[in-house]
Amino acid sequence: MTETTKVAEVKAEVVKKTPIKKVIKKAVKKSPQKTKSTGPTSNYPRHTVEKALRIPRAILEQNAGKECSQADSAKYCGVGYNGPFQLEISSSLKYGLLERPSPNQIKPTELAKQIIKPQSSEDELNGLRSAVLNAPTISDVYKHYRGENLPDRKFFENALVDTFKVPTEKLSEFIEIFTESLSSSKLIEKSGDKFRVLDISEGNNSSKLIDTGSELRKLSKSAPINSTDTCFVMMPFAAPLGDYYAKIYEPAIKKAGLNPIRADNDIFGTGKIVDQIWSGINSAKILIAELTGRNPNVYYELGLAHALKKPVVLISSNEEDVPFDLKHIRVIYYDKNDPFWGTKLIDKVAENILSAIAHPQETILF
């Protein structure tokens, strides 16, 4: 027997006597570990608000709304207690439709009961709106675009990725969940070939759902502003639109922390008017354009802002007054028939000023 053969036999005998668990443990230990993904994760509910009502409804109908285990809730729904069902529980929690009294135990919230078993005609709708505004990311996107048309798909997707950190591979899913949930809660409506996000920040007790002061403070943290920064307002001078400067735009600009300027009040004097307008626009950090009425002077000044690549907050009471080549930019629409239109517009303009400073790519006219 050769020396090589003897060594082989000894090794075989050692392997034979070694317990199989130790062999497996040793092999696993030597296996290279998988690298964890460092990409963005989805924080939004992965189901529509209507779908997220299924579990609390089943608990209410089959367990009188009492606390139960997650596994039991799956039985009430007639499905298996698997990964997809646990993801559905997560969505219901994010909307505020379920709560966890203790680990692995869930029960419907008062909000879920308000929607599923309403006591008045307004309960269901107000409950659905509250649930949508509870939802991470969905609520942020709603507040960002309230009072506006949703932008074209490409621009909307860019904003979702850059501003709201929605993972690229989840864009189609998020947009479907977002639009269906807003539709169920009557927070969105069709406007021509676009979707208009409705502003419920004031009126009918819905002001409790949106803390506009909190939104403004949040935006202020991401928008660098100096005490000397100005906001140039491009608008007609004649009433009634001309009166909005003192009633709406001055308060909104000051609320955002900037100094308001309008040509007729602040920079007209000796010298060429065009030169002074150019100087006012050029030195402004941001601009506002009131497009209602298609005033030619406003469009001239808007052209100058375009040439200087300045961020502009566009505003109109009529969609027909917004030229087709500006409709891909964010536009605030206000409704004079809404008794709260002035207060809503002041808050929304202030927010959009700060948002445009923080994210100029959404408002610069390329």
Side-chain angles (χ1 to χ4, degrees), residues 39-111:
T41 57
S42 57
N43 186 40
Y44 60 89
R46 301 290 295 281
H47 300 80
T48 65
V49 68
E50 289 283 0
K51 181 64 181 293
L53 282 164
R54 180 173 76 147
I55 299 173
R57 180 178 283 112
I59 298 173
L60 279 166
E61 292 175 351
Q62 300 188 48
N63 196 47
K66 297 176 183 178
E67 175 183 339
C68 66
S69 69
Q70 296 183 168
D72 281 344
S73 70
K75 294 177 184 177
Y76 300 146
C77 291
V79 298
Y81 181 51
N82 50 24
F85 185 78
Q86 293 176 51
L87 188 62
E88 192 175 330
I89 290 176
S90 174
S91 293
S92 298
L93 289 165
K94 285 183 170 70
Y95 283 115
L97 301 172
L98 287 176
E99 59 182 328
R100 289 190 192 277
S102 56
N104 296 317
Q105 298 288 112
I106 55 175
K107 63 180 293 189
T109 61
E110 290 302 316
L111 178 60

Side-chain angles (χ1 to χ4, degrees), residues 336-351:
K336 289 290 297 293
N337 295 319
D338 181 346
F340 304 98
W341 76 272
T343 304
K344 288 182 180 179
L345 189 55
I346 289 172
D347 289 338
K348 182 62 177 172
V349 170
E351 289 175 22

Side-chain angles (χ1 to χ4, degrees), residues 71-346:
D72 281 344
S73 70
K75 294 177 184 177
Y76 300 146
C77 291
V79 298
Y81 181 51
N82 50 24
F85 185 78
Q86 293 176 51
L87 188 62
E88 192 175 330
I89 290 176
S90 174
S91 293
S92 298
L93 289 165
K94 285 183 170 70
Y95 283 115
L97 301 172
L98 287 176
E99 59 182 328
R100 289 190 192 277
S102 56
N104 296 317
Q105 298 288 112
I106 55 175
K107 63 180 293 189
T109 61
E110 290 302 316
L111 178 60
K113 295 174 185 177
Q114 176 185 335
I115 299 169
I116 297 167
K117 296 185 175 182
Q119 301 298 308
S120 70
S121 58
E122 296 86 16
D123 276 355
E124 183 178 4
L125 178 59
N126 289 337
L128 286 169
R129 288 177 168 180
S130 294
V132 167
L133 291 171
N134 283 334
T137 309
I138 290 177
S139 175
D140 292 335
V141 177
Y142 163 77
K143 292 170 185 175
H144 187 75
Y145 287 110
R146 74 182 197 279
E148 306 176 27
N149 287 344
L150 288 180
D152 293 341
R153 180 79 179 214
K154 181 180 76 170
F155 299 102
F156 189 34
E157 289 184 349
N158 290 341
L160 291 176
V161 172
D162 297 339
T163 305
F164 301 100
K165 310 307 177 189
V166 175
T168 304
E169 67 275 12
K170 299 291 185 183
L171 284 171
S172 294
E173 176 191 71
F174 177 84
I175 292 172
E176 182 178 354
I177 292 170
F178 176 79
T179 53
E180 286 190 21
S181 295
L182 263 64
S183 179
S184 298
S185 53
K186 296 184 179 179
L187 290 173
I188 197 169
E189 65 182 10
K190 203 78 160 71
S191 177
D193 60 346
K194 292 183 177 293
F195 285 102
R196 176 79 51 81
V197 180
L198 304 182
D199 186 352
I200 60 162
S201 57
E202 293 286 343
N204 298 323
N205 296 320
S206 57
S207 58
K208 298 176 183 177
L209 299 179
I210 301 176
D211 184 353
T212 53
S214 176
E215 290 303 306
L216 202 63
R217 289 190 295 273
K218 188 190 305 181
L219 287 166
S220 297
K221 294 178 181 178
S222 59
I225 294 175
N226 296 318
S227 60
T228 57
D229 287 336
T230 61
C231 176
F232 188 91
V233 183
M234 303 175 285
M235 65 182 301
F237 300 148
L241 288 172
D243 296 338
Y244 296 173
Y245 179 69
K247 294 177 180 178
I248 304 292
Y249 299 127
E250 269 192 322
I253 294 166
K254 290 177 180 178
K255 197 169 188 177
L258 288 89
N259 301 298
I261 293 180
R262 188 172 71 161
D264 65 327
N265 287 346
D266 299 295
I267 66 172
F268 274 15
T270 58
K272 294 181 180 178
I273 293 176
V274 173
D275 290 344
Q276 293 178 46
I277 291 174
W278 172 267
S279 176
I281 294 173
N282 192 32
S283 61
K285 190 175 187 72
I286 189 168
L287 300 94
I288 287 174
E290 168 60 84
L291 302 179
T292 305
R294 289 177 171 260
N295 184 280
N297 292 332
V298 171
Y299 282 101
Y300 172 75
E301 294 169 16
L302 190 57
L304 298 180
H306 184 182
L308 291 168
K309 289 185 169 50
K310 291 282 186 175
V312 181
V313 175
L314 302 179
I315 306 167
S316 180
S317 64
N318 303 303
E319 191 163 355
E320 296 75 19
D321 289 338
V322 182
F324 76 93
D325 55 350
L326 296 183
K327 288 185 177 180
H328 68 285
I329 302 294
R330 294 179 65 187
V331 181
I332 301 172
Y333 293 100
Y334 60 93
D335 180 6
K336 289 290 297 293
N337 295 319
D338 181 346
F340 304 98
W341 76 272
T343 304
K344 288 182 180 179
L345 189 55
I346 289 172

